[in-house]
Amino acid sequence: RPLRRYSSTTSKCDATMLMVTADPRWDDYLRGLRTVVDDVYFSSDYHRLHQIAGGVVAVAGIVREGDDQLIVPGLRVAIPGTDYWDLQSCNGYGGPLARDCVTQSALSVAWREWAEESRSAGAIAGFFRLHPLLDNARWLPPDALVRDDRYTVYVSLKEGLDSVWAAADSRHRNMVNRGRRSAGPPVWNHEFAWDSFPSLYRGAMERLQAPTRLQFGTQYFSVLRSIRGAEIVSVTDNDGVVGAAVFLFGYRWGHYHLAARRRDAPNYVGNLLLQAGLERA
């Protein structure tokens, strides 16, 4: 719903704040940007998934001026003891989106309107886990502070699977070959794997003493299972699921989302699951 219309001598912008649970236009706006290429990390479903996990409200700020638009999806995280909140992106990658051809002057106007609207609604700051392959840091406002946090690993399939396999670390190839000799082939989207994954994941997170934000309830996995592009691959034995991984596939990228294995799982299980994800992509 439009919260406010901004008008000045230089621009006429519509600033809109969408609530993910109530507005079907979220994904319509995303489809209007060729740069997004249907990446699940920006979708309303993926943001709703985090809202269901609890403690946050999924929102998307939309600023439009003619054919130009700035889309800022994220999670509204309350600041304890106040009526204020910070905007944070979901686990994985996020951040602002715009057209490749947008001008810096148009972006500056859009960010100014977005900031005014957000402040009026109680926002204090924004924190984005930027998308390293989309390179959406180029759409940030001029006063944004960007810091390198960690490395991320990606595999390009442009040259084909044989090229990827030949270039892989020898330890990975050895583990995959060992797993193929010792275990049954990985299976995709088995109902039993989806049913078993929540308890498998919780057990793994407890052993790793993972932070609370990475420990999800049953409803999270139920919704994750329904997201378009979400697929699970698993390795089983006579005792059930040995290990499983959830991937999020789109037209351009496949993301390695969550994985877990039993306490007694051989080390090669992780390599088998990763290789299966590459081949699926």
Side-chain angles (χ1 to χ4, degrees), residues 18 20 23-48 59-64 67 69-74 90 93-100 134 136 139 228 251:
L18 303 183
V20 68
D23 201 313
R25 293 177 296 164
W26 181 312
D27 294 310
D28 291 338
Y29 284 120
L30 292 179
R31 281 189 285 270
L33 296 178
R34 293 188 301 272
T35 52
V36 180
V37 198
D38 195 39
D39 194 305
V40 67
Y41 278 145
F42 298 101
S43 69
S44 60
D45 278 348
Y46 191 66
H47 283 72
R48 183 168 61 94
V59 297
I62 314 290
V63 182
R64 293 177 294 163
D67 291 333
Q69 55 184 334
L70 171 70
I71 303 178
V72 188
C90 300
Y93 305 131
L97 299 168
R99 296 185 188 278
D100 281 326
L134 184 61
N136 53 345
W139 297 317
R228 183 170 59 91
Y251 290 128

Side-chain angles (χ1 to χ4, degrees), residues 105-178:
S105 60
L107 272 178
S108 295
V109 170
W111 276 113
R112 185 167 65 247
E113 312 297 8
W114 177 87
E116 184 175 339
E117 176 59 38
S118 297
R119 277 194 300 268
S120 70
I124 299 297
F127 171 75
F128 306 122
R129 299 171 178 89
L130 296 171
H131 198 302
L133 300 178
L134 184 61
D135 186 28
N136 53 345
R138 57 195 157 127
W139 297 317
L140 288 171
D143 59 347
L145 176 64
V146 180
R147 291 180 175 171
D148 291 333
D149 180 66
R150 70 192 73 180
Y151 287 102
T152 190
V153 176
Y154 76 96
V155 177
S156 172
L157 298 170
K158 186 164 53 176
E159 302 300 327
L161 275 173
D162 290 343
S163 177
V164 169
W165 179 255
D169 188 288
S170 61
R171 290 170 296 182
H172 173 71
R173 294 198 303 267
N174 291 338
M175 292 294 265
V176 170
N177 288 331
R178 180 182 172 191

Side-chain angles (χ1 to χ4, degrees), residues 168-211:
D169 188 288
S170 61
R171 290 170 296 182
H172 173 71
R173 294 198 303 267
N174 291 338
M175 292 294 265
V176 170
N177 288 331
R178 180 182 172 191
R180 287 170 173 169
R181 292 192 299 268
S182 305
V187 176
W188 284 95
N189 300 317
H190 197 291
E191 290 291 321
F192 181 69
W194 277 117
D195 293 340
S196 303
F197 191 73
S199 60
L200 189 72
Y201 181 82
R202 280 194 294 270
M205 293 300 100
E206 289 171 2
R207 292 197 304 274
L208 295 171
Q209 297 181 328

